[in-house]
Amino acid sequence: EAQVTQNPRYLITVTGKKLTVTCSQNMNHEYMSWYRQDPGLGLRQIYYSMNVEVTDKGDVPEGYKVSRKEKRNFPLILESPSPNQTSLYFCASSLYRAGANVLTFGAGSRLTVL
Amino acid sequence: AQSVSQHNHHVILSEAASLELGCNYSYGGTVNLFWYVQYPGQHLQLLLKYFSGDPLVKGIKGFEAEFIKSKFSFNLRKPSVQWSDTAEYFCATMIKAAGNKLTFGGGTRVLVKP
């Protein structure tokens, strides 16, 4: 089944404890992206990647890192999480079509930072 | 920077009522438009999209949307809602010049009473 898989789905952690949210897709998509969803703000892009070894900042990249060493994986790294990073995170992927990507979203990862 | 506005944050209606959700965007150039739906506890799913052609777009589950370029609008409609349409609905835009970033509106929570 074609899908985007995120892990963990739920995580409670403490301030400053490094964590990684993994994202993997099995559709051979070039384009991958991370979003965070907060009430009333919709989804905001954190980082995106147009292909292997090509990543760029979205609208809210502060406090996050990503890497794209393989086409299928796009992990999101929080080096020193803070409470304002408590949010629902979505990974998404698509074939790259200039201006016309149709994203497939993962199930989401709900992160709480105490 | 482009922005997307959804003017209704919450909508409550009864089954069989008609639904219209407003969406306005700010970008003056060529833009691709999307509506996504998020059912409770689930990930985002594509309802419909507009890239070009007929400005009246039909999507899944009986939804449709009309692109009105002069009004910078892409309103979502459904003639007769069902209880299963209870969800959060997000309008989004994508422009080629912005690295294929999806820019989301703040979302509209729709509650359909049985």
Side-chain angles (χ1 to χ4, degrees):
Chain A
E1 181 187 351
Q3 59 185 356
V4 177
T5 303
Q6 298 178 225
N7 281 296
R9 294 287 315 281
Y10 301 91
L11 179 63
I12 300 174
T13 189
V14 296
T15 299
K17 185 175 182 182
K18 180 179 177 180
L19 67 93
T20 299
V21 186
T22 64
C23 173
S24 179
Q25 50 91 7
N26 62 1
M27 297 168 279
N28 202 35
H29 285 167
E30 302 95 347
Y31 185 93
M32 298 187 75
S33 182
W34 276 102
Y35 287 82
R36 61 177 288 174
Q37 182 181 7
D38 301 290
L41 298 178
L43 284 82
R44 293 175 293 167
Q45 191 184 53
I46 303 170
Y47 270 94
Y48 65 97
S49 169
M50 292 208 188
N51 216 323
V52 176
E53 302 292 1
V54 181
T55 64
D56 211 343
K57 296 177 181 178
D59 293 322
V60 288
E62 295 78 18
Y64 305 95
K65 285 173 57 177
V66 292
S67 68
R68 188 90 183 273
K69 295 185 172 61
E70 306 164 281
K71 198 172 188 178
R72 63 183 291 125
N73 296 323
F74 190 46
L76 180 70
I77 302 156
L78 286 73
E79 293 272 3
S80 183
S82 62
N84 64 12
Q85 292 177 297
T86 292
S87 187
L88 179 57
Y89 292 87
F90 287 99
C91 181
S93 74
S94 73
L95 293 172
Y96 182 78
R97 298 283 182 269
N101 288 9
V102 179
L103 292 177
T104 299
F105 283 84
S109 297
R110 186 168 291 281
L111 171 65
T112 301
V113 183
L114 302 176
Chain B
Q2 59 174 321
S3 64
V4 180
S5 298
Q6 293 180 242
H7 306 294
N8 308 101
H9 298 296
H10 294 90
V11 172
I12 302 174
L13 60 168
S14 300
E15 278 193 312
S18 64
L19 173 70
E20 179 160 0
L21 302 181
C23 173
N24 288 91
Y25 62 93
S26 65
Y27 187 67
T30 300
V31 63
N32 292 326
L33 298 151
F34 304 79
W35 275 97
Y36 280 86
V37 61
Q38 186 177 32
Y39 297 104
Q42 295 190 26
H43 62 288
L44 279 83
Q45 302 172 43
L46 182 68
L47 263 183
L48 48 81
K49 64 184 185 296
Y50 174 79
F51 289 171
S52 64
D54 189 343
L56 185 61
V57 181
K58 294 195 184 301
I60 61 172
K61 305 189 180 189
F63 285 91
E64 65 178 30
E66 185 175 13
F67 170 53
I68 304 179
K69 189 173 182 179
S70 61
K71 294 185 178 180
F72 297 87
S73 70
F74 190 55
N75 292 355
L76 181 71
R77 297 193 290 256
K78 185 170 184 177
S80 176
V81 296
Q82 300 171 311
W83 175 79
S84 58
D85 293 321
T86 293
E88 189 161 16
Y89 293 81
F90 293 94
C91 181
T93 61
M94 179 181 287
I95 59 173
K96 179 181 173 181
N100 279 18
K101 177 181 68 176
L102 263 181
T103 298
F104 286 87
T108 300
R109 285 186 185 270
V110 174
L111 173 63
V112 180
K113 297 185 293 183

